[in-house]
Amino acid sequence: MPFSPSATPADRYVHHDGVDLAVRDHGGDGPPLLLLHGAGRTLADWTLVAPLLTARHRVLALDLRAHGHSASGHSGSDRWSIPAVLDDVEAVLDAFGLPHAVPVGHSLGGMIAACYALDRPATPAAVNLDGHGYGEPGRYPGLDPEYVAQRLAEIRRFAAQAAGRELAPEECEAVLAHQATTAASLGIDPVLMDTATRRGLAGDADGPRHLRPERESALAMLAEMDALDLFALYPRLRCPLFICRATRPNPSTPGLPWFDELMAAHATGLDRDLTELALAHPHITVDTIDATHALLLEAPGAVADHILTFTTHHLP
């Protein structure tokens, strides 16, 4: 059935620490799940997955602070930080009376889910869908770590330059057109892709706009992601953790001709390191999914099946 924006639940808001956090309650019964999106994305990415989970779970989805329809928070260095986001997650779950929900995250959201489970030991389980970051230069088999470090520095400069950049109307249309092309190449519903992308846009529709987060929050977020060592974090968890890696490469990145080679080595390293992690720690389950990093929009049925297989086994 084609996606229809009018069929999605209305946003609700939780006010916490001066920040209005947008939440979508998909309903359902059973152990609660809180769905967390990736960097620069929004809760709309979960639109097709969430209804597939409600037969077994109560399902909420959250716009992280400075994303989508959630506010950015205070100005200054504390505008965006992982501890602040973990507090946001707790506030949302408390507001809905679901303090022991399972955080289920994609990309940045998956990293947040793992951090939340470590920081809040009563969390019953956590799910990380393709949230790996770039990791250490030594985790790229076949490539010299010094070369990798140089390339990662270029990627980070590229991301920092783009963070919160003001877009003229024609540039904004170019972004939407690029997203439409990506949707077509991956078999994603174009209306859903357009709706999800527009939710992350801020500014006057007739003037300059920018993709959220705003620059200050975006730079702080990128720095937090780069500093997070997931492979040091995972063994410290005591609750069940599901880590799922997308196996298909993303479309090539214009202006970075070496990016595909770098990401192929990254994928090889992740396969090796995640396999070793799961063998050494019985509470960690690792699997793969045949999709690109856009797996929530590209393969919602497979994503839901993976989540339900894990929760059925690990939750009462």
Side-chain angles (χ1 to χ4, degrees), residues 77-245:
S77 60
D78 65 340
R79 172 168 290 194
W80 204 103
S81 70
I82 287 178
V85 172
L86 301 186
D87 288 345
D88 292 343
V89 168
E90 183 175 55
V92 167
L93 296 181
D94 286 345
F96 280 84
L98 304 170
H100 300 304
V102 173
V104 178
H106 169 240
S107 195
L108 168 64
M111 299 162 76
I112 295 296
C115 290
Y116 188 83
L118 179 64
D119 199 64
R120 272 68 170 179
T123 304
V127 176
N128 179 353
L129 302 170
D130 216 38
H132 311 298
Y134 290 116
E136 297 298 319
R139 295 186 181 274
Y140 290 70
L143 297 181
D144 177 69
E146 185 175 340
Y147 168 81
V148 173
Q150 293 171 350
R151 292 310 192 192
L152 292 180
E154 289 183 59
I155 291 172
R156 286 163 180 150
R157 284 194 296 271
F158 184 85
Q161 290 169 1
R165 186 175 67 85
E166 187 175 276
L167 301 172
E170 61 273 16
E171 292 179 296
C172 185
E173 290 305 313
V175 168
L176 294 171
H178 175 71
Q179 292 294 313
T181 300
T182 299
S185 68
L186 298 178
I188 297 171
D189 186 313
V191 178
L192 174 59
M193 177 65 94
D194 187 74
T195 300
T197 303
R198 288 180 186 276
R199 185 178 175 92
L201 281 169
D204 187 344
D206 297 323
R209 308 189 77 179
H210 62 272
L211 287 167
R212 302 194 73 208
E214 289 75 15
R215 183 164 182 79
E216 185 179 1
S217 294
L219 292 175
M221 178 187 70
L222 292 171
E224 294 260 333
M225 292 171 67
D226 288 340
L228 185 60
D229 185 350
L230 289 169
F231 281 92
L233 180 157
Y234 291 145
R236 297 164 57 200
L237 287 172
R238 292 296 172 261
C239 70
L241 170 68
F242 177 47
I243 303 171
C244 190
R245 188 180 74 79

Side-chain angles (χ1 to χ4, degrees), residues 9 11-12 21-26 35-38 41-48 50 60-64 67-70 196 199 296:
D11 289 354
R12 297 170 63 179
L21 300 164
V23 184
R24 190 166 286 174
D25 187 351
H26 290 272
L35 308 180
L36 306 171
H37 59 78
R41 302 298 303 177
T42 75
L43 59 74
D45 281 359
W46 290 98
T47 298
L48 298 182
L60 305 177
L62 168 67
D63 273 342
L64 300 176
H67 290 75
H69 292 176
S70 288
R199 185 178 175 92
L296 299 184

